[in-house]
């Protein structure tokens, strides 16, 4: 089959069968199965009707002026068969379709959520890790739920390889879910006329193995770290990691945790009777391994953050704590 490979994009539409593009999601299997059933039922019924029509047209053709026409005007047994069988068939097809529709409409709990923003004439994808990508990168074998929004007019989000399509409506969130199959590169189309460059409103989709996906996320996160000033990054990390629940939104301190306000440069009395001057290394240790040095009057209740924070986040937290005065 002819593949379609638009310029300037990595993705393409590949065909490995005769009719439909290569399958990229679990749902495609269900939809293609239903399509195959309808197609082959139609082919078979076409011959079941047309072959006898041609045969009888020849066999019972009028041969002379005095040909006798049959007196038979109906056949009860035949009429029951050709009413009941197709009825059962269409009811069965209805349930094949209904099941596929329900599967496609209800995302499983725990799906990975990505926000999609449509705008004349591009798509952008906002990941839960807090960055934006012009390309939809997906982990293979993990259910993904998209929450779609439009900044301007009506668009329609369509991935032929996944057999999914959803309107993207201004002022309304719509959702779509799928479970990506093997790693592949394909395309998203806009299928609702949205102005001059509607036909160029394409975006890349790449399915990656779970491992590649994780390292892709890490690279993007690092890029976000590079672009964010340390204090700002620290402030975000402070909020994201739930620090305010013990240390107070403004670092004011609670019964479980000493105040972070004015902490930097202060002499802190520790539980073992010693005193320490608060500087960067003490803060770093207290974030990564909090029970190493406990402030007098407090319990070692803070979880260690060793291995869960990236270097720029730790640096950011230290810089943020310095600003709390
Ligand atoms: Cu967006 Cu057409």
């Amino acid at each position: 089959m002819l593949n379609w490979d638009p310029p300037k994009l990595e993705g393409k539409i590949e065909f490995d069968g005769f009719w439909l593009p290569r399958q990229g999601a679990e749902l495609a299997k269900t939809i293609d199965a239903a399509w195959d059933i309808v197609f082959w039922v139609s082919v078979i019924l076409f011959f079941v009707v047309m072959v006898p029509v041609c045969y009888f047209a020849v066999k019972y053709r009028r041969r002379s002026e005095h040909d006798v026409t049959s007196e038979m005007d109906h056949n009860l047994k035949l009429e029951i068969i050709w009413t009941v069988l197709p009825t059962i068939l269409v009811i069965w097809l209805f349930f094949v379709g209904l099941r596929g529709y329900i599967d496609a409409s209800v995302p499983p709990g725990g799906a990975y959520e990505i926000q999609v923003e449509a705008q004349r004439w591009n798509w952008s994808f906002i990941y839960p890790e807090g960055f934006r990508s012009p390309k939809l990168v997906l982990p293979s074998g993990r259910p993904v739920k998209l929450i779609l929004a439009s900044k301007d007019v009506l668009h329609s989000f369509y991935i032929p390889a996944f057999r999914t399509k959803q309107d993207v409506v201004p002022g309304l969130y719509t959702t779509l879910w799928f479970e990506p199959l093997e790693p592949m590169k394909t395309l998203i189309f806009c299928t609702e006329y949205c102005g001059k460059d509607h036909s160029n409103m394409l975006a890349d989709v790449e399915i990656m193995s779970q491992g590649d996906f994780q390292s892709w996320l890490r690279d993007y996160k690092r890029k976000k770290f590079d672009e964010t000033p340390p204090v700002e990054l620290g402030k975000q990390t402070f909020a994201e990691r739930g620090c305010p629940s013990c240390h107070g939104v403004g670092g004011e301190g609670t019964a479980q945790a000493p105040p972070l306000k004015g902490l930097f440069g202060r002499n802190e009395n520790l539980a073992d009777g010693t005193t320490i001057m608060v500087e960067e290394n003490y803060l770093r240790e207290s974030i990564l391994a909090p029970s190493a040095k406990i402030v007098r009057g407090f319990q070692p209740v803070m979880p260690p953050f060793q291995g869960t924070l990236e270097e720029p986040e730790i640096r950011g937290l230290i810089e943020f704590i310095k600003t709390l005065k």
Side-chain angles (χ1 to χ4, degrees):
M1 279 299 103
L2 265 182
N3 290 338
W4 188 62
D5 195 355
K8 285 189 272 178
L9 287 166
E10 295 170 32
K12 59 176 173 224
I13 301 295
E14 289 172 80
F15 287 86
D16 54 10
F18 185 69
W19 300 107
L20 299 165
R22 187 179 150 200
Q23 298 174 341
E26 274 303 321
L27 180 69
K29 295 182 186 170
T30 327
I31 292 196
D32 292 4
W35 193 87
D36 283 343
I37 292 168
V38 173
F39 176 76
W40 287 109
V41 163
S42 310
V43 169
I44 292 165
L45 286 182
F46 175 81
F47 286 105
V48 166
V49 174
M50 294 316 287
V51 169
V53 163
C54 297
Y55 174 70
F56 292 141
V58 175
K59 184 175 178 192
Y60 298 113
R61 69 187 183 277
R62 200 171 182 209
R63 290 167 206 253
S64 70
E65 281 290 305
H66 315 289
D67 241 4
V68 198
T69 50
S70 167
E71 247 126 60
M72 196 188 275
D73 57 5
H74 73 279
N75 181 325
L76 189 64
K77 212 203 260 172
L78 257 184
E79 283 165 16
I80 288 175
I81 292 173
W82 77 47
T83 308
V84 172
L85 282 186
T87 305
I88 293 172
L89 193 69
V90 292
I91 290 174
W92 176 55
L93 286 178
F94 169 76
F95 281 104
V96 168
L98 182 69
R99 244 197 66 188
Y101 178 74
I102 291 173
D103 282 352
S105 319
V106 187
Y112 182 70
E113 289 189 8
I114 303 171
Q115 309 277 333
V116 179
E117 205 175 74
Q119 183 178 10
R120 278 178 294 181
W121 289 278
N122 62 66
W123 301 99
S124 66
F125 306 96
I126 301 147
Y127 281 75
E129 283 74 12
F131 57 82
R132 193 181 273 266
S133 161
K135 168 172 152 182
L136 180 60
V137 176
L138 301 167
S140 95
R142 179 166 174 199
V144 173
K145 180 181 169 186
L146 302 182
I147 297 134
L148 306 117
S150 168
K151 281 175 111 176
D152 40 43
V153 298
L154 185 59
H155 301 274
S156 182
F157 180 94
Y158 177 40
I159 305 180
F162 294 6
R163 320 285 191 265
T164 47
K165 191 193 257 186
Q166 175 62 55
D167 274 3
V168 188
V169 188
L172 182 77
Y173 295 116
T174 49
T175 60
L176 186 68
W177 87 274
F178 41 72
E179 187 179 321
L181 296 171
E182 303 294 291
M184 70 183 287
K185 288 178 179 181
T186 184
L187 292 168
I188 297 164
F189 292 80
C190 179
T191 51
E192 188 70 63
Y193 182 70
C194 55
K196 182 172 75 71
D197 284 334
H198 156 74
S199 57
N200 280 327
M201 193 167 162
L202 305 167
D204 277 314
V205 186
E206 182 170 359
I207 304 176
M208 290 182 176
S209 67
Q210 297 270 2
D212 289 351
F213 180 70
Q214 290 306 328
S215 50
W216 180 82
L217 280 184
R218 225 170 296 129
D219 286 352
Y220 247 93
K221 248 168 44 188
R222 203 159 296 141
K223 216 177 122 211
K224 175 195 155 194
F225 293 158
D226 291 346
E227 287 164 359
T228 314
V231 173
E232 187 50 39
L233 185 63
K235 201 171 164 184
Q236 287 173 17
T237 309
F238 189 75
E240 281 168 20
R241 299 299 176 131
C243 310
S245 61
C246 291
H247 289 287
V249 192
E252 57 271 24
T254 62
Q256 300 96 52
L260 301 177
K261 258 187 183 154
L263 177 64
F264 194 81
R266 189 164 71 197
N267 286 313
E268 199 77 303
N269 298 316
L270 301 182
D272 63 5
T274 57
T275 301
I276 195 163
M277 210 278 277
V278 177
E279 40 71 68
E280 284 89 348
N281 289 301
Y282 168 72
L283 288 178
R284 183 187 169 87
E285 184 185 52
S286 298
I287 293 166
L288 300 180
S291 48
K293 293 188 178 71
I294 299 293
V295 175
R296 195 180 300 163
F298 291 94
Q299 295 299 312
V301 291
M302 179 169 154
F305 283 86
Q306 185 78 57
T308 70
L309 288 171
E310 306 274 342
E311 273 313 315
E313 291 177 303
I314 302 170
R315 211 178 305 128
L317 281 171
I318 295 170
E319 291 308 305
F320 172 62
I321 291 169
K322 282 188 191 173
T323 66
L324 299 173
K325 284 175 187 136

